Structures are given as C-alpha cells and as structure tokens.
Amino acid sequence: MEAKIDPAKNADQPRKFRVSPLNFATAGFFILAGYIFINGAKITGSPYEHWSGTITWIFILFGVVVSLLDIIFRNFFAETKKLWIVELSFITLVAIIFLIVK
C-alpha cells in the first residue's frame, strides 16, 4: 500500500533548486566580470587599462543586485511558471527602459 505524505512534514523539507531567468542573468554578470578582470575591457579595439577594475566591480555589483531580486521574486511567487513569467517580464521592462533612456 502506498504511504500518504503529510503536508506538514513536506513543508519542513528544503525546496529543490529552481532555475529562473534571473539565475542566468546573475551567472552572465559574474562571468562577464571575470572575463573583464582577466582580459581587460576593450571597446572598438582601444583598451581601457585603468578602468578594467572599476568595470569588473560594477558587473559584480549588478550580479549581486540581480541575485537579491531573484530571491525576492522567489518569495512572492511559489510556482515556477509564474516565477518565469514575472522575471521575464521584469527583464523585458528593464531592457525597454534602457533603450528608451539610451
């Protein structure tokens, strides 16, 4: 016979890791920061020798902020499907605002 799962016991167990769009953004910012730290920042072939450290720290800060936003969104939206919709909408909104300001 199949044992029934008690919801109270299930609530105490840790949740599995869920992949979300802001996880990818955080990883991208940290990878970009590492790449700039190792190779230096170059735009159109001219290196920014003195600004590479500053640009690296900016991308690390972006990664930390996006990671905290991901944690906040996870607390508000328990379902993975809703989490993806909200986070993709947030990324789209930020991209549109960036393009308007630019």
Side-chain angles (χ1 to χ4, degrees), residues 23-99:
N23 287 120
F24 292 120
T26 302
F29 281 132
F30 286 142
I31 289 170
L32 194 58
Y35 178 80
I36 290 174
F37 182 74
I38 292 170
N39 294 326
K42 297 176 187 155
I43 298 175
T44 64
S46 61
Y48 288 102
E49 297 171 12
H50 303 292
W51 287 95
S52 294
T54 305
I55 294 171
T56 299
W57 281 108
I58 289 171
F59 280 116
I60 289 173
L61 177 68
F62 285 168
V64 169
V65 169
V66 169
S67 176
L68 291 174
L69 278 171
D70 185 42
I71 292 170
I72 291 170
F73 282 143
R74 284 173 188 270
N75 286 332
F76 283 114
F77 303 101
E79 294 179 27
T80 306
K81 184 177 180 179
K82 287 183 183 177
L83 180 70
W84 270 77
I85 292 170
V86 168
E87 289 188 1
L88 286 174
S89 300
F90 176 75
I91 291 171
T92 306
L93 178 69
V94 169
I96 290 170
I97 290 173
F98 175 77
L99 292 174

